[in-house]
Amino acid sequence: RYNKAMQKHKPLHIGIIGTGFGKIVARICKAIDPTAKIFLSGNDYEKTKRIVAEFSFDGDYKNWEALISDPKIDLVVIATPGYLLRQMFDLAVAHKKHILVEKPVAATAADIGYMKQLTKQYKKIVVVNHCARYHPIVRYLRQSIQEGKLGTILTIRTTTFGVGLG
C-alpha cells in the first residue's frame, strides 16, 4: 500500500511487456503506488499506444528489447505467451533488472531450471506471479462462499508454500 514514506524515494519505473494481462498488471501497479511510472510494450505498437493514452501511462516502446534495455526501467514485468519468455528473461538479467514473470514462468521445465540457475547469485528481486484462482481448494472455497455455507465472512487469510526461482 502506498504511504507518505514512499514519497521520499524516486518513483519506481516499471516496464511491462504485454498488452493483454499486462494492461491489468499496469493498472494494479499504479493503484498500489500512484507515483510509479508505467511503461508498456506489446506486439502491436498501435494498440500499445492506445492503451498508454487510455490509462495515462507514462510511455510506450516499439519492442520489448528497447524497454528492457532502457536504463531508466527498474522492474521488468513479463506478461506474455511462453515462447519468448526465456529471451526476455535473459535480457532482463543482462541489464540487471528486477523481474516479475507472469505464469507460465517458461515454455519448458528445462528453461525453468536454466532461469533458476541464472539467478542463483543474482542481486535483484525475481518473482513469479502464479494466481491460484483455479486451484481446487480455491474453487471449493469460492463455491462455499457463494452458496452461503460459511456464514458471514469477516476476513480471509491465505498462505502458500512453494518453490520460486530464487
Side-chain angles (χ1 to χ4, degrees):
R1 204 172 251 271
Y2 177 78
N3 61 48
K4 297 269 186 204
M6 294 173 86
Q7 291 177 348
K8 296 178 185 177
H9 304 285
K10 88 169 185 72
L12 184 64
H13 288 74
I14 304 170
I16 299 173
I17 306 167
T19 55
F21 189 65
K23 174 176 64 173
I24 296 167
V25 172
R27 292 175 66 199
I28 291 168
C29 289
K30 200 66 170 173
I32 291 170
D33 180 1
T35 69
K37 303 295 181 189
I38 306 293
F39 301 88
L40 207 58
S41 174
N43 288 337
D44 180 339
Y45 185 55
E46 293 304 315
K47 178 182 177 183
T48 301
K49 290 192 307 187
R50 281 194 308 274
I51 292 169
V52 166
E54 179 183 353
F55 294 102
S56 300
F57 295 146
D58 300 284
D60 56 69
Y61 290 82
K62 287 189 176 182
N63 60 61
W64 59 267
E65 294 95 340
L67 180 144
I68 293 173
S69 300
D70 190 334
K72 78 178 170 202
I73 299 297
D74 304 305
L75 166 66
V76 172
V77 177
I78 304 172
T80 64
Y83 75 98
L84 288 174
L85 283 172
R86 183 167 163 175
Q87 289 174 272
M88 293 172 179
F89 191 88
D90 281 350
L91 191 59
V93 168
H95 285 277
K96 297 181 176 22
K97 306 293 184 179
H98 297 289
I99 305 167
L100 185 149
V101 181
E102 291 295 333
K103 68 166 180 59
V105 68
T108 67
D111 282 351
I112 292 172
Y114 164 82
M115 293 160 78
K116 185 174 180 178
Q117 189 63 34
L118 186 65
T119 57
K120 271 204 185 291
Q121 303 299 317
Y122 197 58
K123 302 293 185 215
K124 299 288 184 172
I125 297 168
V126 178
V127 178
V128 177
N129 181 28
H130 181 78
C131 183
R133 68 180 162 254
Y134 298 111
H135 189 281
I137 292 171
V138 173
R139 288 172 43 184
Y140 171 77
L141 286 172
R142 182 183 300 122
Q143 181 180 357
S144 296
I145 291 167
Q146 290 170 343
E147 293 172 359
K149 292 179 180 178
L150 302 178
T152 302
I153 303 213
L154 302 176
T155 186
I156 295 176
R157 180 176 180 193
T158 63
T159 309
T160 62
F161 299 95
V163 177
L165 284 179

